[in-house]
Amino acid sequence: MIAELCPSLTGRVKVVARPDGFVVSAPGGRQTVCATVGAVWAVLHSLAPDAGVLLEPALAGLEERYREAGEHRLLEAVAASGRRQLGTPREVAARL
């Protein structure tokens, strides 16, 4: 879901869910283990400060796919965590 919310990272960064958290793999084979979704977003922000630019457009495209009540709440929670870590598209653009 995180990868789908940040399509600009496809091919550059990979996020894999594990029973105890997540692993973020970056170019060069560097891996970071994260316990929470917020920690994943923080790592993504450090690897690609522009990651938040496409968060909102990607979210709009995914809402139809994740329309079941539980899935939709999860999508919203993951996106909200991303907004907190990455900033709004306007904030991201101002940093670039």
Side-chain angles (χ1 to χ4, degrees), residues 60-84:
L62 291 174
E63 287 181 337
E64 179 62 26
R65 179 173 173 199
Y66 295 106
R67 61 181 159 202
E68 296 289 325
E71 291 178 332
H72 189 75
R73 284 193 302 274
L74 178 61
L75 177 64
E76 286 294 325
V78 170
S81 179
R83 284 186 203 103
R84 283 190 298 278

Side-chain angles (χ1 to χ4, degrees), residues 12 30 32 81 90:
R12 295 191 293 164
R30 186 173 62 158
T32 304
S81 179
R90 181 173 289 165

Side-chain angles (χ1 to χ4, degrees), residues 12-16 23-32 43-44 47:
R12 295 191 293 164
V13 178
K14 183 176 179 181
V15 178
V16 177
V23 175
V24 180
S25 300
R30 186 173 62 158
Q31 294 186 329
T32 304
V43 170
L44 293 177
L47 295 172

Side-chain angles (χ1 to χ4, degrees), residues 5-64:
L5 286 167
C6 289
S8 65
L9 298 177
T10 302
R12 295 191 293 164
V13 178
K14 183 176 179 181
V15 178
V16 177
R18 299 180 355 174
D20 59 342
F22 304 88
V23 175
V24 180
S25 300
R30 186 173 62 158
Q31 294 186 329
T32 304
V33 177
C34 302
T36 66
V37 170
V40 171
W41 284 118
V43 170
L44 293 177
H45 177 62
S46 72
L47 295 172
D50 63 337
V53 172
L54 297 177
L55 179 65
E56 296 305 322
L59 177 60
L62 291 174
E63 287 181 337
E64 179 62 26

